[in-house]
Amino acid sequence: MSALAAAIQVLGGLALAPLLPGTIQSLKARMQGRRGPSPLQPYRELRRLWGKSLADPQPTTIVYRLAPCVLAATTGLAILLVPVGGLSPGWGLGDDALVLVGLLALGRFALAAASWDTGSGFALMGASRDLTLAVAAEALLVLAIVLAAIPADSTGLAAMSAAANGSGIWSEPGHWCAAGAFGLIVVFETGRQPIDNPDTHLELTMIHEGPLLEYAGRDLALLQWSAAARHWIVLVLAAELFLPHWGGFGAQLVCLLAGVALLCVGLALTETAQAKMRILRAPALLAGGCLLAMVGLASWLAGGLV
Amino acid sequence: MSGLDWLAGAGVALLAAGSLAPVLRLRAAGALTFQALGVGLLGAAGALVLFGAPAIGAGFHDGLSPRLGIDGLTGFFLATIAIVAAPSLVYARDYLAGAARGRALVGLSGLFLLSLVAVVTARDPSSFLASWELMTLVPAAAILVQRSDAAVRHAVFVYLAITHLGGAGVWISVLALAHYGALGDPGAIAAQGSGVQALVIVSALIGFGTKAGLMPMHSWLPRAHPVAPSHISALMSGVMIKVALYGLIRVLFEWAAPAPLWAGLVVLALGLLSALGGVLYALVQHDLKRLLAFHSIENVGIVVLGLGASILFASGGDTTWAAIAFAAALLHILNHGVFKALLFLAAGAFERAVGSLDVDRIGGLLRRMPWTGGAFLIGSMAIAGVPPLNGFASEWLTLQALIHVALGPSLGLGLAGAIAVAGLAATAALALFCFVKAVGLVLLGAPRRPEAAAAVEAPAGMRSGMVFLAGCCVALGAAPGLLVPSLMALAPQPHHLATEPSLRIPGTGSLPSPWLLLGIVALTGLLWLLRGSRRAVPVPTWACGQRIEPALAWSSAGFTKPLRLVLEGILRPRREITTVQEHGLVRSVSYRGEIPHLFDTMLYGPVQRQALAAARIARRIQSGSVRAYAGYLLALLLVLLVLARAGAIG
């Protein structure tokens, strides 16, 4: 069972991850009445980039060249921490939620440092906006972790998933608040509207795309895979911790699949219905999420409704 | 006498011999080697006691006869002092070579270390207070020996004024403790009732908190640390403020224990204010050493958050987590000492190479100074709290402790814990923001001035000190679990944890730090191989077809602009834009912006003005004429006589 979970982690994270942004893009196009690219488009992009030569903006150092590898490595390790079907094979890395937060932060550090290395205004603009939003997002993420840790009495991701198993937890208002708060994290980490627009081609409006501007070839392929893998991490995490799931490993896998599909539809819907927010308004949105999480915490600690 | 006594004694002797350098006319480098060896031996003795050897020397007593001794907590602080000071002194051998008044500075460095060692080994109130004062005065002298222009004199004056005013709190609390016999007999204060305990705790928080740089008593720190010579800055930030925390820990967890719940909440609030306030003001600094000084405030805040959580757990009866939170605070003390000393030493090397510490005017030093730059990069990542380095390990532990405060069961404490959790998470994100900025402006990109383009690597002695500290950052990050069980044993209610490199703590998903380090390095290496070594095409950076000119380079202010706009209400930036127009044609635009330090303008400024006004009123009765003073004396005598007759006195 554990071996199967491990296989799903690796294969899913590595191979299925690009399918998620592809599906969202394709769904979005349908909703907007366009034909749009096929869900497999990200794979074609990755294949094309893998064969291209690298670019080396002048003057850069090893920090610029190493950043895509560090980002992809931390994202890859983060995938191994996320439980699937309520099981966390461990890999000797444990399954602590805060370690996951730390790994994502290391990737962010690497990419922002690379932006400084190029000295490109657009890259730095994106990095500085990303880091600004990350301040509120990190507080929100940790508060969502606290909310999920209350029923589990642990910050282990598998324990949190087990505690959210079944329908009993949904009678707690605190869990609804947690789900809402984590929804904002999903939007932020996947870089989607209303916080960021993944389709923008205007450098001045980019957030997550900005630091990628200078990269080419395999470097860019690694970065794009990392962005797709971040979709996998937060969507699977959202489904495992904050969407309904029941029963044993098999049943939970079905729930996971349904949950991730539902989230993809949800993201495509918000992208269709919602315009991008002014960047300076986004921290207020995330801070509102923090408030929601606090209300949820108060409700949990006051004993809930039941 | 045991072997440990001899070890510690030899350490003190070597340190003292090294400090007497100016008198003995020893060569500066030799004297520094003596000092480094001495502090190393003391640290070894401390580490042995920490890891289970029996305590040596005297125990605490309340009398006046001076006594010294080393127990577990002192051992931990001695080891911390040694790990920070020994590489700093090795660094100073080359750093001070050829410096003006180098020999006096060497003597003062040794004296400073002796006073730090004396504070943590003092076992009676008189030697504690005496060495405490010495510890405050010596760095002031060290600063003035090297530079004495008006700005520096003002900084030193502010440092001495604030730390002495606040330091009164230390005297009050230590003398009150000695009066009630609480140094030798913990529990004596609790027997005196809550009033005395409150007096001791509040005065200790003010006294030790001022010296530790806790907000809002911090105002001296960002002034004094940047002007000191770099190895003294490293000792001040890395060790001196930690020794102040040592005093606070002794009071809260030993002499006035058990600390009540309100003390835990106050400590938690002070920690949160310092952590967030420190990092926010660090973000908007332009001077590298001033930026680092504000980060010391932030990190002291993180340590104090751990201490506050420990008090809250202990008052709720959860001794396991009380011990874990206590260990988290101690671990962060050591970790911050290591990476902050490293960063200050690197800043000193940059200043020597470039001649300025204005971050907007350095750039591109990683290429020119790979050793110093690499060490600075590791230190920056450690302080930014990213895995697998040491800053992450202690912040992880502190955050876990706060999360378990937030998990309840009581609603009020849970909400307090949740606010602290969110605050610490935001602090970590802000610290990452700030150090990406520092690394980018100092190490990466194109050189921003000719001196940076022509910088040369620091000499071997300076390099070795920094590389050693960078190695400590990696080692402490890889195996925090080897240390944490010993630190948990120092808590008031010790708790046992298996000694292994990873941190496996019930109620968490565990921090398998060695595997994390291995995983990150191996996976990055694998991807590096996969990426292949195809020839990369050299291209110019994309700027919409424009040429990249130095004037277009991003500045520190530009990078933090979005955050400044978001936090406008808190930071209250001031800016002035003057546009000169002639016949409807814009001739020139000048921009000036600054972020006033709100604690200075809104707290210290008014207090200072009121104090001066009060002094002016007091001056009216100081006429300077002898007859007036004789009159005052007569009046006093009459009042006393009347009181005595009325039976009020005597």
Side-chain angles (χ1 to χ4, degrees), chain A residues 256-280:
Chain A
L256 173 64
L257 201 65
V260 170
L262 192 74
L263 285 167
C264 285
V265 176
L267 282 176
L269 261 176
T270 32
E271 290 236 306
T272 307
Q274 185 74 40
K276 190 179 161 211
M277 232 174 188
R278 273 186 63 203
I279 288 163
L280 297 180

Side-chain angles (χ1 to χ4, degrees), chain A residues 50-66 68-74 76-77 80-81 91-103 105-106 108-110 112-114 116-129 131-132 134-136 138-140 142-143 145-147 149-150 153-157 203 213-214 218-219 222 279-280 283-284 290 294-295 297-299 301-302, chain B residues 366-367 377 380-381 384-388 392 395-396 399-400 403-404 406-415 418-423 425-430 432-433 435-441 443-448 504 506-512 515-516 519-520 523-525 527-544 548 552-556 558-563 565-566:
Chain A
W50 199 254
K52 291 212 160 201
S53 61
L54 301 165
D56 199 3
Q58 303 295 318
T60 48
T61 59
I62 182 93
V63 172
Y64 170 82
R65 290 191 284 280
L66 215 50
C69 299
V70 172
L71 180 65
T74 53
L77 285 179
L80 300 185
L81 297 182
W91 301 88
L93 293 171
D95 63 343
D96 192 72
L98 295 180
V99 174
L100 184 82
V101 177
L103 284 171
L106 176 58
R108 196 174 287 135
F109 185 97
W116 273 109
D117 212 4
T118 65
S120 154
F122 299 124
L124 284 167
M125 210 180 289
S128 113
R129 289 169 180 173
L131 293 174
T132 301
V135 174
E138 202 141 295
L140 176 59
V142 173
L143 280 178
I145 290 171
V146 172
L147 281 174
I150 289 177
D153 202 22
S154 163
T155 55
L157 289 170
E203 294 97 330
L213 267 180
E214 297 297 322
R218 293 189 176 182
D219 285 340
L222 285 176
I279 288 163
L280 297 180
C290 289
M294 283 289 182
V295 171
L297 188 83
S299 144
L301 292 179
Chain B
L366 187 59
R367 218 181 262 277
L377 182 62
S380 300
M381 289 171 68
V386 294
F392 179 72
E395 281 182 26
W396 181 84
L399 209 45
Q400 285 289 1
I403 284 181
H404 282 80
L407 292 189
S410 104
L411 174 59
L413 282 188
L415 283 178
I419 291 171
V421 164
T427 302
L430 286 166
L432 189 140
F433 197 162
F435 273 92
V436 163
K437 183 193 91 171
V439 162
L441 283 164
L443 298 181
L444 306 176
R448 287 154 183 264
R504 277 180 217 292
T508 73
S510 86
L511 175 66
W515 302 114
L516 217 52
I520 291 174
L523 216 51
T524 306
L527 290 170
W528 182 255
L529 290 178
L530 268 182
R531 173 188 185 266
S533 50
R534 303 176 165 213
R535 206 172 58 80
V537 188
V539 291
T541 302
W542 171 244
C544 291
I548 295 271
L552 290 179
W554 268 50
S555 62
S556 158
F559 193 62
T560 51
K561 178 92 184 179
L563 193 79
L565 288 174
V566 170

Side-chain angles (χ1 to χ4, degrees), chain B residues 91-450:
Chain B
Y91 169 97
R93 283 171 50 121
D94 281 340
Y95 180 69
L96 291 181
R101 305 199 196 166
R103 228 177 350 211
L105 214 46
V106 169
L108 286 171
S109 310
L111 193 59
F112 185 32
L113 278 174
L114 269 179
S115 67
L116 291 168
V117 169
V119 173
V120 294
T121 52
R123 286 297 176 267
D124 64 292
S126 52
S127 47
F128 183 88
L129 290 172
S131 45
W132 177 264
E133 290 302 316
L134 200 62
M135 176 181 93
T136 306
L137 292 173
V138 173
I143 295 172
L144 289 177
V145 158
Q146 211 188 27
R147 295 168 56 182
S148 55
D149 47 287
V152 171
R153 281 205 307 275
H154 181 247
V156 169
F157 174 74
V158 171
Y159 161 61
L160 288 178
I162 295 181
T163 47
H164 271 108
L165 279 178
V170 173
W171 283 77
I172 294 172
S173 75
V174 170
L175 291 180
L177 284 163
H179 176 73
Y180 292 109
L183 295 184
D185 169 30
I189 284 291
Q192 291 295 325
S194 56
V196 174
Q197 196 189 25
L199 170 77
V200 168
I201 288 178
V202 168
S203 52
L205 274 176
I206 293 175
F208 293 111
T210 306
K211 192 73 188 167
L214 273 183
M215 273 191 177
M217 294 91 83
H218 66 283
S219 199
W220 62 274
L221 197 152
R223 289 192 170 88
H225 286 206
V227 294
S230 276
H231 71 291
I232 299 282
S233 307
L235 290 179
M236 286 171 88
S237 245
V239 189
M240 183 179 78
I241 58 178
K242 308 305 159 44
V243 168
L245 289 174
Y246 162 84
L248 193 61
I249 291 172
R250 283 276 186 211
V251 172
L252 288 176
F253 291 89
E254 198 173 320
W255 296 333
L261 183 65
W262 63 262
L265 287 172
V266 169
V267 169
L268 202 68
L270 284 177
L272 192 60
L273 177 67
S274 309
L276 272 174
V279 74
L280 265 184
Y281 279 107
L283 255 170
V284 294
Q285 301 304 319
H286 300 274
D287 180 279
L288 185 58
K289 272 180 140 185
R290 213 171 139 79
L291 179 152
L292 293 176
F294 271 108
H295 269 285
S296 294
I297 298 172
E298 175 221 334
N299 281 283
V300 162
I302 295 175
V303 171
V304 167
L305 277 175
L307 295 178
S310 181
I311 296 174
L312 294 183
F313 281 124
S315 69
D318 186 347
T319 53
T320 310
W321 274 98
I324 294 172
F326 187 78
L330 289 186
L331 186 63
H332 200 68
I333 285 179
L334 172 62
N335 286 342
H336 176 247
V338 169
F339 53 65
K340 185 48 67 66
L342 165 59
L343 292 169
F344 265 116
L345 296 183
F350 294 145
E351 190 173 23
R352 253 169 79 116
V354 184
S356 154
L357 278 178
D358 180 359
V359 285
D360 287 333
R361 305 194 58 212
I362 304 181
L365 284 185
L366 187 59
R367 218 181 262 277
R368 305 286 314 175
M369 306 171 72
W371 288 96
T372 310
F376 185 79
L377 182 62
I378 290 183
S380 300
M381 289 171 68
I383 196 172
V386 294
L389 297 170
N390 60 348
F392 179 72
S394 44
E395 281 182 26
W396 181 84
L397 207 55
T398 310
L399 209 45
Q400 285 289 1
L402 292 174
I403 284 181
H404 282 80
V405 173
L407 292 189
S410 104
L411 174 59
L413 282 188
L415 283 178
I419 291 171
V421 164
L424 183 53
T427 302
L430 286 166
L432 189 140
F433 197 162
C434 188
F435 273 92
V436 163
K437 183 193 91 171
V439 162
L441 283 164
V442 174
L443 298 181
L444 306 176
R448 287 154 183 264
R449 58 192 293 201

Side-chain angles (χ1 to χ4, degrees), chain A residues 6-253:
Chain A
I8 295 176
Q9 274 186 334
V10 174
L11 288 179
L14 210 64
L16 292 185
L19 197 58
L20 297 175
T23 312
I24 297 173
Q25 288 307 83
S26 159
L27 276 175
K28 197 170 86 173
R30 291 286 166 82
M31 288 176 192
Q32 294 171 353
R34 297 183 280 122
R35 284 256 303 278
S38 127
L40 299 179
Q41 187 61 27
Y43 292 99
R44 296 180 190 138
E45 298 256 338
L46 287 176
R47 198 186 62 200
R48 179 174 63 83
L49 288 172
W50 199 254
K52 291 212 160 201
S53 61
L54 301 165
D56 199 3
Q58 303 295 318
T60 48
T61 59
I62 182 93
V63 172
Y64 170 82
R65 290 191 284 280
L66 215 50
C69 299
V70 172
L71 180 65
T74 53
T75 316
L77 285 179
I79 286 176
L80 300 185
L81 297 182
V82 179
V84 286
L87 279 185
S88 187
W91 301 88
L93 293 171
D95 63 343
D96 192 72
L98 295 180
V99 174
L100 184 82
V101 177
L103 284 171
L104 293 180
L106 176 58
R108 196 174 287 135
F109 185 97
L111 204 56
S115 309
W116 273 109
D117 212 4
T118 65
S120 154
F122 299 124
L124 284 167
M125 210 180 289
S128 113
R129 289 169 180 173
D130 186 25
L131 293 174
T132 301
L133 295 183
V135 174
E138 202 141 295
L140 176 59
L141 178 54
V142 173
L143 280 178
I145 290 171
V146 172
L147 281 174
I150 289 177
D153 202 22
S154 163
T155 55
L157 289 170
M160 291 179 188
S161 174
N165 195 332
S167 57
I169 190 135
W170 291 97
S171 53
E172 290 286 351
H175 195 64
W176 291 88
C177 292
F182 199 80
L184 288 175
I185 291 294
V186 169
V187 172
F188 171 72
E189 284 290 346
T190 53
R192 296 198 165 268
Q193 285 176 14
I195 290 180
D196 189 8
N197 180 1
D199 295 334
T200 184
H201 293 291
L202 185 62
E203 294 97 330
L204 286 174
T205 62
M206 289 176 173
I207 300 180
H208 290 89
E209 291 283 307
L212 275 54
L213 267 180
E214 297 297 322
Y215 283 101
R218 293 189 176 182
D219 285 340
L220 187 56
L222 285 176
L223 293 172
Q224 291 203 341
W225 173 79
S226 304
R230 246 195 335 268
H231 280 70
W232 170 269
I233 291 170
V234 290
L235 293 186
V236 171
L237 211 54
E240 287 285 326
L241 302 188
F242 299 109
L243 286 184
H245 51 278
W246 296 271
F249 179 63
Q252 283 193 53
L253 273 188

